Amino acid sequence: MTTETEFGEILDLFNEGLQKEIQAHKQKLPYACCLSTEGLDGFPNARFVSLKEIRDGEFIITGTITSRKGEEIKNNHKVSLTFWWPEIQQQVRIQGIAAPILGSVLDVYFGERNRDSQIVSVVSDQGKELNKMEELAFKFDAIASNPEISEIQRPDNWGGYAIAPRRVEFLVFSESRFHDRILYEQNGRLWQKKRLQP
């Protein structure tokens, strides 16, 4: 049976599952999720990224916008995020539209990264061919060991995306194999809720 609900209910379910996973596992990467895009060659492409936060109902991720994922999002804004929380045996799949983040908030997100990660973002052209690791290490050390560089500036090719969800599916695994699946689909300002067969 299909019913209608508001997006707040979906966010509550997501945050409830996330907090349960954090409390049960105390893992270092509770916000890790798989970002899937359509490749420029037509093949699907997937990689793990870190969810920064949920802001204004949108899922925020950051990274190098000139990387393969950035080029693919530029070509097709339709993406998906998949979360897997092993301790509570729950999967969350989100399909939505990715839009570039603009403004000073990018500097805030970049500033939240640890110094080593910031330096890697400066010296590495993510996804491009690498001849020798030593060359990259030399560039890293030149910045890391320089006492005059106290603050790492965000490079121009480092940005982020706000993913506005269109479909969200929660799946809770059961030993009986009758897994509990609930799908939410946006319908104007409201969301349609339906239970799916496992």
Side-chain angles (χ1 to χ4, degrees), residues 25-45:
H25 195 42
K26 307 296 184 184
Q27 62 174 325
K28 289 185 177 181
L29 299 172
Y31 299 97
C33 54
C34 183
L35 169 67
S36 299
T37 53
E38 180 189 27
L40 299 180
D41 56 3
F43 282 92
N45 220 341

Side-chain angles (χ1 to χ4, degrees), residues 7-123:
F7 188 61
E9 175 182 325
I10 303 170
L11 286 183
D12 288 344
L13 279 175
F14 181 88
N15 286 321
E16 179 182 343
L18 178 62
Q19 292 306 314
K20 284 182 179 178
E21 178 68 16
I22 292 173
Q23 293 169 10
H25 195 42
K26 307 296 184 184
Q27 62 174 325
K28 289 185 177 181
L29 299 172
Y31 299 97
C33 54
C34 183
L35 169 67
S36 299
T37 53
E38 180 189 27
L40 299 180
D41 56 3
F43 282 92
N45 220 341
R47 77 288 286 160
F48 280 90
V49 298
S50 180
L51 176 71
K52 288 295 181 183
E53 65 173 334
I54 302 173
R55 180 165 51 87
D56 298 328
E58 297 179 328
F59 292 75
I60 307 299
I61 61 171
T62 58
T64 306
I65 59 177
T66 53
S67 65
R68 178 180 293 182
K69 68 175 175 289
E71 291 298 323
E72 291 172 350
I73 293 174
K74 183 179 179 181
N75 186 62
N76 185 343
H77 296 301
K78 295 179 180 179
V79 303
S80 68
L81 294 175
T82 305
F83 293 82
W84 168 239
W85 297 323
E87 293 300 315
I88 63 172
Q89 295 286 290
Q90 185 172 2
Q91 171 185 274
V92 184
R93 297 196 301 165
I94 299 164
Q95 293 174 297
I97 307 299
I101 297 173
L102 304 174
S104 59
V105 67
L106 286 175
D107 294 323
V108 175
Y109 288 135
F110 189 75
E112 292 172 348
R113 311 185 82 208
N114 65 55
R115 183 177 172 83
D116 285 355
S117 296
Q118 290 177 339
I119 296 174
V120 169
S121 295
V122 171
V123 302

Side-chain angles (χ1 to χ4, degrees), residues 10 13-14 90-92 168-171 180-182 184:
I10 303 170
L13 279 175
F14 181 88
Q90 185 172 2
Q91 171 185 274
V92 184
V168 182
E169 181 188 306
F170 295 88
L171 186 150
D180 188 19
R181 294 178 65 186
I182 299 178
Y184 294 86

Side-chain angles (χ1 to χ4, degrees), residues 89 171-180:
Q89 295 286 290
L171 186 150
V172 179
F173 283 79
S174 169
E175 292 183 1
S176 70
R177 306 300 297 176
F178 287 113
H179 309 316
D180 188 19

Side-chain angles (χ1 to χ4, degrees), residues 150-178:
S150 59
E151 183 177 348
I152 308 299
Q153 297 297 316
R154 176 178 63 86
D156 292 338
N157 68 343
W158 194 94
Y161 299 94
I163 300 172
R166 295 294 180 263
R167 297 188 192 93
V168 182
E169 181 188 306
F170 295 88
L171 186 150
V172 179
F173 283 79
S174 169
E175 292 183 1
S176 70
R177 306 300 297 176
F178 287 113

